[in-house]
Amino acid sequence: MQSKTMHEPFVRVVKRGEMPMKKKVFVRLAAVALALVADALFIFFVTGLNPIDVYKAMIQGTFSTSMRFSWAMRDLASLLLIGIALFNFSAELLSAALLALLWLGGERGMLRDKLSREPLSQASLGVTVLTLVVLQLVACALILLWQPLLRSMNIPFDDTQEVVTQLQNGGIGLRIFLFLVVTTIVPLAEELFFRRVLFGLLLPHLGGMGGAVAVALLFGAAHGFLAGFPALFWMGLCFQWIYWRTGNFCYPVILHSMVNLWGCLLAFLSL
């Protein structure tokens, strides 16, 4: 029998041990300080401006009026939503809090006005539920076809997402926390980023169909789950379609929330 030779990986990733709280605080403060210094050097050598004057202008532009502060928080919330690509729940919680403030207040509730242009209707809710059924059936079929293909090509993959593992094996407190985040904050954050922001940026350049496909591809890739990529791509298309069909941002959020709710229930039932 021919024996297989084991090779050491070129790069090995090892989980870092727990650090004391003081060291964590120091590392983060040092990172912020180094970032400010690096930005100051870039500003000085590239633009020739005084970095101190630039920082003062940034602070005045952010906090001088309530309107400027509201717009700054809106942009900050959008940037924090990038954390969803890495399942950074702390970023999602913070961004959701900022979005809630903008929803209720800000420039006359500007976010609330933009996201709720049309009232909810029973007909559109029915279309959303029907889309959910079709989405789940096609997603299951895609997974059943995709995973055997990966095995036949000897491509390694994890057949369970990390969040599902945490839902199954975590403590009761963690399970409740993840359930609430996955069924409420994640749908709102992801749909706002992919449907409202990203699709809005790509629409003028790729058109409706091209933009929807591109966003769906990015949506699937952002989850980092190879075993479910075709299903995630299909979900992205369905979320985009329901948004395009209804013209109301609430429906893709509702559909996304129901999909995640179904996934959480399956994770709990498989315990």
Side-chain angles (χ1 to χ4, degrees), residues 86-113:
L86 302 176
F87 291 99
N88 188 333
F89 292 123
S90 60
E92 288 182 334
L93 287 172
L94 182 55
S95 62
L98 291 171
L99 290 173
L101 292 175
L102 291 172
W103 185 290
L104 298 174
E107 184 66 14
R108 296 182 180 179
M110 57 183 177
L111 187 60
R112 177 186 57 207
D113 295 338

PDB file of all heavy atoms in Angstrom, residues 86-113:
ATOM      1  N   LEU A  86     -18.041  39.731   7.940  1.00  0.00           N
ATOM      2  CA  LEU A  86     -17.227  38.884   8.811  1.00  0.00           C
ATOM      3  C   LEU A  86     -18.037  38.385  10.000  1.00  0.00           C
ATOM      4  O   LEU A  86     -17.476  37.853  10.947  1.00  0.00           O
ATOM      5  CB  LEU A  86     -16.003  39.670   9.307  1.00  0.00           C
ATOM      6  CG  LEU A  86     -15.092  40.215   8.215  1.00  0.00           C
ATOM      7  CD1 LEU A  86     -13.983  41.058   8.838  1.00  0.00           C
ATOM      8  CD2 LEU A  86     -14.488  39.075   7.409  1.00  0.00           C
ATOM      9  N   PHE A  87     -19.363  38.574   9.983  1.00  0.00           N
ATOM     10  CA  PHE A  87     -20.225  38.172  11.092  1.00  0.00           C
ATOM     11  C   PHE A  87     -19.753  38.778  12.410  1.00  0.00           C
ATOM     12  O   PHE A  87     -19.715  38.120  13.442  1.00  0.00           O
ATOM     13  CB  PHE A  87     -20.301  36.646  11.222  1.00  0.00           C
ATOM     14  CG  PHE A  87     -21.029  36.004  10.102  1.00  0.00           C
ATOM     15  CD1 PHE A  87     -20.327  35.439   9.054  1.00  0.00           C
ATOM     16  CD2 PHE A  87     -22.409  35.978  10.063  1.00  0.00           C
ATOM     17  CE1 PHE A  87     -20.995  34.849   8.004  1.00  0.00           C
ATOM     18  CE2 PHE A  87     -23.082  35.394   9.015  1.00  0.00           C
ATOM     19  CZ  PHE A  87     -22.372  34.837   7.980  1.00  0.00           C
ATOM     20  N   ASN A  88     -19.400  40.052  12.349  1.00  0.00           N
ATOM     21  CA  ASN A  88     -18.984  40.759  13.553  1.00  0.00           C
ATOM     22  C   ASN A  88     -20.233  41.309  14.222  1.00  0.00           C
ATOM     23  O   ASN A  88     -20.717  42.383  13.891  1.00  0.00           O
ATOM     24  CB  ASN A  88     -18.032  41.908  13.184  1.00  0.00           C
ATOM     25  CG  ASN A  88     -17.419  42.547  14.403  1.00  0.00           C
ATOM     26  OD1 ASN A  88     -18.000  42.526  15.476  1.00  0.00           O
ATOM     27  ND2 ASN A  88     -16.240  43.113  14.231  1.00  0.00           N
ATOM     28  N   PHE A  89     -20.773  40.552  15.168  1.00  0.00           N
ATOM     29  CA  PHE A  89     -22.050  40.915  15.764  1.00  0.00           C
ATOM     30  C   PHE A  89     -21.970  42.211  16.562  1.00  0.00           C
ATOM     31  O   PHE A  89     -22.951  42.928  16.683  1.00  0.00           O
ATOM     32  CB  PHE A  89     -22.552  39.786  16.672  1.00  0.00           C
ATOM     33  CG  PHE A  89     -22.936  38.561  15.904  1.00  0.00           C
ATOM     34  CD1 PHE A  89     -22.354  37.349  16.183  1.00  0.00           C
ATOM     35  CD2 PHE A  89     -23.871  38.638  14.889  1.00  0.00           C
ATOM     36  CE1 PHE A  89     -22.711  36.217  15.469  1.00  0.00           C
ATOM     37  CE2 PHE A  89     -24.222  37.510  14.162  1.00  0.00           C
ATOM     38  CZ  PHE A  89     -23.638  36.293  14.457  1.00  0.00           C
ATOM     39  N   SER A  90     -20.799  42.517  17.148  1.00  0.00           N
ATOM     40  CA  SER A  90     -20.676  43.763  17.892  1.00  0.00           C
ATOM     41  C   SER A  90     -20.845  44.960  16.967  1.00  0.00           C
ATOM     42  O   SER A  90     -21.481  45.953  17.322  1.00  0.00           O
ATOM     43  CB  SER A  90     -19.323  43.824  18.604  1.00  0.00           C
ATOM     44  OG  SER A  90     -18.258  43.748  17.666  1.00  0.00           O
ATOM     45  N   ALA A  91     -20.279  44.860  15.752  1.00  0.00           N
ATOM     46  CA  ALA A  91     -20.455  45.944  14.779  1.00  0.00           C
ATOM     47  C   ALA A  91     -21.909  46.051  14.360  1.00  0.00           C
ATOM     48  O   ALA A  91     -22.444  47.142  14.181  1.00  0.00           O
ATOM     49  CB  ALA A  91     -19.570  45.709  13.561  1.00  0.00           C
ATOM     50  N   GLU A  92     -22.581  44.915  14.206  1.00  0.00           N
ATOM     51  CA  GLU A  92     -23.985  44.930  13.814  1.00  0.00           C
ATOM     52  C   GLU A  92     -24.857  45.550  14.897  1.00  0.00           C
ATOM     53  O   GLU A  92     -25.784  46.311  14.620  1.00  0.00           O
ATOM     54  CB  GLU A  92     -24.450  43.517  13.499  1.00  0.00           C
ATOM     55  CG  GLU A  92     -23.866  43.000  12.194  1.00  0.00           C
ATOM     56  CD  GLU A  92     -24.372  41.617  11.859  1.00  0.00           C
ATOM     57  OE1 GLU A  92     -24.735  40.885  12.790  1.00  0.00           O
ATOM     58  OE2 GLU A  92     -24.396  41.275  10.679  1.00  0.00           O
ATOM     59  N   LEU A  93     -24.565  45.230  16.159  1.00  0.00           N
ATOM     60  CA  LEU A  93     -25.340  45.806  17.252  1.00  0.00           C
ATOM     61  C   LEU A  93     -25.169  47.318  17.307  1.00  0.00           C
ATOM     62  O   LEU A  93     -26.136  48.061  17.468  1.00  0.00           O
ATOM     63  CB  LEU A  93     -24.909  45.175  18.581  1.00  0.00           C
ATOM     64  CG  LEU A  93     -25.363  43.742  18.819  1.00  0.00           C
ATOM     65  CD1 LEU A  93     -24.701  43.194  20.080  1.00  0.00           C
ATOM     66  CD2 LEU A  93     -26.877  43.679  18.967  1.00  0.00           C
ATOM     67  N   LEU A  94     -23.923  47.783  17.171  1.00  0.00           N
ATOM     68  CA  LEU A  94     -23.675  49.214  17.207  1.00  0.00           C
ATOM     69  C   LEU A  94     -24.314  49.911  16.023  1.00  0.00           C
ATOM     70  O   LEU A  94     -24.920  50.983  16.162  1.00  0.00           O
ATOM     71  CB  LEU A  94     -22.170  49.480  17.241  1.00  0.00           C
ATOM     72  CG  LEU A  94     -21.730  50.944  17.339  1.00  0.00           C
ATOM     73  CD1 LEU A  94     -22.374  51.596  18.556  1.00  0.00           C
ATOM     74  CD2 LEU A  94     -20.219  51.035  17.422  1.00  0.00           C
ATOM     75  N   SER A  95     -24.177  49.319  14.849  1.00  0.00           N
ATOM     76  CA  SER A  95     -24.775  49.939  13.663  1.00  0.00           C
ATOM     77  C   SER A  95     -26.296  49.956  13.765  1.00  0.00           C
ATOM     78  O   SER A  95     -26.940  50.912  13.350  1.00  0.00           O
ATOM     79  CB  SER A  95     -24.346  49.186  12.400  1.00  0.00           C
ATOM     80  OG  SER A  95     -24.795  47.845  12.440  1.00  0.00           O
ATOM     81  N   ALA A  96     -26.877  48.886  14.339  1.00  0.00           N
ATOM     82  CA  ALA A  96     -28.324  48.852  14.500  1.00  0.00           C
ATOM     83  C   ALA A  96     -28.794  49.949  15.457  1.00  0.00           C
ATOM     84  O   ALA A  96     -29.836  50.574  15.238  1.00  0.00           O
ATOM     85  CB  ALA A  96     -28.760  47.487  15.037  1.00  0.00           C
ATOM     86  N   ALA A  97     -28.016  50.195  16.510  1.00  0.00           N
ATOM     87  CA  ALA A  97     -28.372  51.270  17.435  1.00  0.00           C
ATOM     88  C   ALA A  97     -28.326  52.626  16.735  1.00  0.00           C
ATOM     89  O   ALA A  97     -29.227  53.469  16.905  1.00  0.00           O
ATOM     90  CB  ALA A  97     -27.429  51.263  18.630  1.00  0.00           C
ATOM     91  N   LEU A  98     -27.284  52.844  15.926  1.00  0.00           N
ATOM     92  CA  LEU A  98     -27.182  54.104  15.185  1.00  0.00           C
ATOM     93  C   LEU A  98     -28.319  54.242  14.182  1.00  0.00           C
ATOM     94  O   LEU A  98     -28.901  55.313  14.017  1.00  0.00           O
ATOM     95  CB  LEU A  98     -25.831  54.176  14.470  1.00  0.00           C
ATOM     96  CG  LEU A  98     -24.610  54.321  15.372  1.00  0.00           C
ATOM     97  CD1 LEU A  98     -23.336  54.162  14.554  1.00  0.00           C
ATOM     98  CD2 LEU A  98     -24.605  55.658  16.082  1.00  0.00           C
ATOM     99  N   LEU A  99     -28.653  53.135  13.513  1.00  0.00           N
ATOM    100  CA  LEU A  99     -29.743  53.178  12.543  1.00  0.00           C
ATOM    101  C   LEU A  99     -31.071  53.470  13.214  1.00  0.00           C
ATOM    102  O   LEU A  99     -31.923  54.173  12.671  1.00  0.00           O
ATOM    103  CB  LEU A  99     -29.812  51.848  11.788  1.00  0.00           C
ATOM    104  CG  LEU A  99     -28.666  51.568  10.824  1.00  0.00           C
ATOM    105  CD1 LEU A  99     -28.771  50.155  10.290  1.00  0.00           C
ATOM    106  CD2 LEU A  99     -28.655  52.568   9.700  1.00  0.00           C
ATOM    107  N   ALA A 100     -31.252  52.925  14.426  1.00  0.00           N
ATOM    108  CA  ALA A 100     -32.485  53.196  15.159  1.00  0.00           C
ATOM    109  C   ALA A 100     -32.610  54.676  15.494  1.00  0.00           C
ATOM    110  O   ALA A 100     -33.692  55.273  15.393  1.00  0.00           O
ATOM    111  CB  ALA A 100     -32.520  52.361  16.431  1.00  0.00           C
ATOM    112  N   LEU A 101     -31.477  55.301  15.894  1.00  0.00           N
ATOM    113  CA  LEU A 101     -31.506  56.726  16.185  1.00  0.00           C
ATOM    114  C   LEU A 101     -31.853  57.529  14.937  1.00  0.00           C
ATOM    115  O   LEU A 101     -32.641  58.482  14.987  1.00  0.00           O
ATOM    116  CB  LEU A 101     -30.148  57.167  16.737  1.00  0.00           C
ATOM    117  CG  LEU A 101     -29.786  56.635  18.124  1.00  0.00           C
ATOM    118  CD1 LEU A 101     -28.366  57.044  18.481  1.00  0.00           C
ATOM    119  CD2 LEU A 101     -30.758  57.151  19.176  1.00  0.00           C
ATOM    120  N   LEU A 102     -31.257  57.142  13.808  1.00  0.00           N
ATOM    121  CA  LEU A 102     -31.546  57.854  12.566  1.00  0.00           C
ATOM    122  C   LEU A 102     -32.976  57.615  12.110  1.00  0.00           C
ATOM    123  O   LEU A 102     -33.618  58.476  11.509  1.00  0.00           O
ATOM    124  CB  LEU A 102     -30.559  57.415  11.476  1.00  0.00           C
ATOM    125  CG  LEU A 102     -29.109  57.863  11.700  1.00  0.00           C
ATOM    126  CD1 LEU A 102     -28.211  57.212  10.661  1.00  0.00           C
ATOM    127  CD2 LEU A 102     -28.990  59.363  11.650  1.00  0.00           C
ATOM    128  N   TRP A 103     -33.498  56.404  12.397  1.00  0.00           N
ATOM    129  CA  TRP A 103     -34.874  56.076  12.007  1.00  0.00           C
ATOM    130  C   TRP A 103     -35.866  56.974  12.742  1.00  0.00           C
ATOM    131  O   TRP A 103     -36.836  57.471  12.182  1.00  0.00           O
ATOM    132  CB  TRP A 103     -35.145  54.619  12.335  1.00  0.00           C
ATOM    133  CG  TRP A 103     -36.478  54.116  11.879  1.00  0.00           C
ATOM    134  CD1 TRP A 103     -37.697  54.452  12.386  1.00  0.00           C
ATOM    135  CD2 TRP A 103     -36.739  53.190  10.826  1.00  0.00           C
ATOM    136  NE1 TRP A 103     -38.689  53.793  11.724  1.00  0.00           N
ATOM    137  CE2 TRP A 103     -38.134  53.009  10.763  1.00  0.00           C
ATOM    138  CE3 TRP A 103     -35.915  52.489   9.953  1.00  0.00           C
ATOM    139  CZ2 TRP A 103     -38.714  52.150   9.858  1.00  0.00           C
ATOM    140  CZ3 TRP A 103     -36.511  51.631   9.040  1.00  0.00           C
ATOM    141  CH2 TRP A 103     -37.884  51.470   8.990  1.00  0.00           C
ATOM    142  N   LEU A 104     -35.598  57.186  14.041  1.00  0.00           N
ATOM    143  CA  LEU A 104     -36.538  57.942  14.866  1.00  0.00           C
ATOM    144  C   LEU A 104     -36.322  59.446  14.787  1.00  0.00           C
ATOM    145  O   LEU A 104     -37.249  60.216  14.998  1.00  0.00           O
ATOM    146  CB  LEU A 104     -36.423  57.480  16.328  1.00  0.00           C
ATOM    147  CG  LEU A 104     -36.782  56.012  16.574  1.00  0.00           C
ATOM    148  CD1 LEU A 104     -36.489  55.649  18.023  1.00  0.00           C
ATOM    149  CD2 LEU A 104     -38.239  55.755  16.249  1.00  0.00           C
ATOM    150  N   GLY A 105     -35.076  59.860  14.554  1.00  0.00           N
ATOM    151  CA  GLY A 105     -34.791  61.298  14.593  1.00  0.00           C
ATOM    152  C   GLY A 105     -34.023  61.738  13.392  1.00  0.00           C
ATOM    153  O   GLY A 105     -34.392  61.455  12.258  1.00  0.00           O
ATOM    154  N   GLY A 106     -32.891  62.416  13.664  1.00  0.00           N
ATOM    155  CA  GLY A 106     -32.052  62.871  12.566  1.00  0.00           C
ATOM    156  C   GLY A 106     -32.736  63.963  11.766  1.00  0.00           C
ATOM    157  O   GLY A 106     -33.520  64.759  12.272  1.00  0.00           O
ATOM    158  N   GLU A 107     -32.460  63.975  10.498  1.00  0.00           N
ATOM    159  CA  GLU A 107     -33.016  64.993   9.605  1.00  0.00           C
ATOM    160  C   GLU A 107     -34.471  64.661   9.311  1.00  0.00           C
ATOM    161  O   GLU A 107     -34.830  64.109   8.271  1.00  0.00           O
ATOM    162  CB  GLU A 107     -32.193  65.048   8.309  1.00  0.00           C
ATOM    163  CG  GLU A 107     -32.617  66.135   7.339  1.00  0.00           C
ATOM    164  CD  GLU A 107     -32.376  67.528   7.893  1.00  0.00           C
ATOM    165  OE1 GLU A 107     -31.657  67.640   8.894  1.00  0.00           O
ATOM    166  OE2 GLU A 107     -32.914  68.482   7.299  1.00  0.00           O
ATOM    167  N   ARG A 108     -35.335  64.976  10.297  1.00  0.00           N
ATOM    168  CA  ARG A 108     -36.767  64.682  10.206  1.00  0.00           C
ATOM    169  C   ARG A 108     -37.024  63.205   9.949  1.00  0.00           C
ATOM    170  O   ARG A 108     -37.883  62.824   9.153  1.00  0.00           O
ATOM    171  CB  ARG A 108     -37.411  65.523   9.109  1.00  0.00           C
ATOM    172  CG  ARG A 108     -37.356  67.014   9.380  1.00  0.00           C
ATOM    173  CD  ARG A 108     -38.055  67.776   8.267  1.00  0.00           C
ATOM    174  NE  ARG A 108     -38.018  69.206   8.504  1.00  0.00           N
ATOM    175  CZ  ARG A 108     -38.545  70.116   7.672  1.00  0.00           C
ATOM    176  NH1 ARG A 108     -39.143  69.715   6.558  1.00  0.00           N
ATOM    177  NH2 ARG A 108     -38.479  71.392   7.953  1.00  0.00           N
ATOM    178  N   GLY A 109     -36.255  62.367  10.651  1.00  0.00           N
ATOM    179  CA  GLY A 109     -36.441  60.930  10.457  1.00  0.00           C
ATOM    180  C   GLY A 109     -36.126  60.504   9.043  1.00  0.00           C
ATOM    181  O   GLY A 109     -36.880  59.760   8.435  1.00  0.00           O
ATOM    182  N   MET A 110     -34.998  60.995   8.503  1.00  0.00           N
ATOM    183  CA  MET A 110     -34.698  60.818   7.079  1.00  0.00           C
ATOM    184  C   MET A 110     -34.646  59.350   6.688  1.00  0.00           C
ATOM    185  O   MET A 110     -35.141  58.964   5.639  1.00  0.00           O
ATOM    186  CB  MET A 110     -33.380  61.501   6.736  1.00  0.00           C
ATOM    187  CG  MET A 110     -32.206  61.024   7.559  1.00  0.00           C
ATOM    188  SD  MET A 110     -30.710  61.944   7.166  1.00  0.00           S
ATOM    189  CE  MET A 110     -29.565  61.228   8.331  1.00  0.00           C
ATOM    190  N   LEU A 111     -34.039  58.505   7.540  1.00  0.00           N
ATOM    191  CA  LEU A 111     -33.939  57.100   7.177  1.00  0.00           C
ATOM    192  C   LEU A 111     -35.302  56.436   7.176  1.00  0.00           C
ATOM    193  O   LEU A 111     -35.627  55.648   6.303  1.00  0.00           O
ATOM    194  CB  LEU A 111     -32.997  56.389   8.147  1.00  0.00           C
ATOM    195  CG  LEU A 111     -32.645  54.950   7.802  1.00  0.00           C
ATOM    196  CD1 LEU A 111     -31.963  54.895   6.444  1.00  0.00           C
ATOM    197  CD2 LEU A 111     -31.737  54.352   8.857  1.00  0.00           C
ATOM    198  N   ARG A 112     -36.135  56.799   8.174  1.00  0.00           N
ATOM    199  CA  ARG A 112     -37.474  56.236   8.235  1.00  0.00           C
ATOM    200  C   ARG A 112     -38.268  56.589   6.986  1.00  0.00           C
ATOM    201  O   ARG A 112     -38.997  55.770   6.424  1.00  0.00           O
ATOM    202  CB  ARG A 112     -38.176  56.762   9.497  1.00  0.00           C
ATOM    203  CG  ARG A 112     -39.619  56.294   9.645  1.00  0.00           C
ATOM    204  CD  ARG A 112     -40.257  57.002  10.843  1.00  0.00           C
ATOM    205  NE  ARG A 112     -40.179  58.441  10.673  1.00  0.00           N
ATOM    206  CZ  ARG A 112     -40.152  59.302  11.685  1.00  0.00           C
ATOM    207  NH1 ARG A 112     -40.139  58.861  12.923  1.00  0.00           N
ATOM    208  NH2 ARG A 112     -40.107  60.594  11.448  1.00  0.00           N
ATOM    209  N   ASP A 113     -38.149  57.845   6.540  1.00  0.00           N
ATOM    210  CA  ASP A 113     -38.883  58.275   5.348  1.00  0.00           C
ATOM    211  C   ASP A 113     -38.419  57.530   4.104  1.00  0.00           C
ATOM    212  O   ASP A 113     -39.213  57.171   3.241  1.00  0.00           O
ATOM    213  CB  ASP A 113     -38.714  59.778   5.149  1.00  0.00           C
ATOM    214  CG  ASP A 113     -39.365  60.572   6.281  1.00  0.00           C
ATOM    215  OD1 ASP A 113     -40.262  60.014   6.936  1.00  0.00           O
ATOM    216  OD2 ASP A 113     -38.953  61.726   6.518  1.00  0.00           O
TER     217      ASP A 113
END
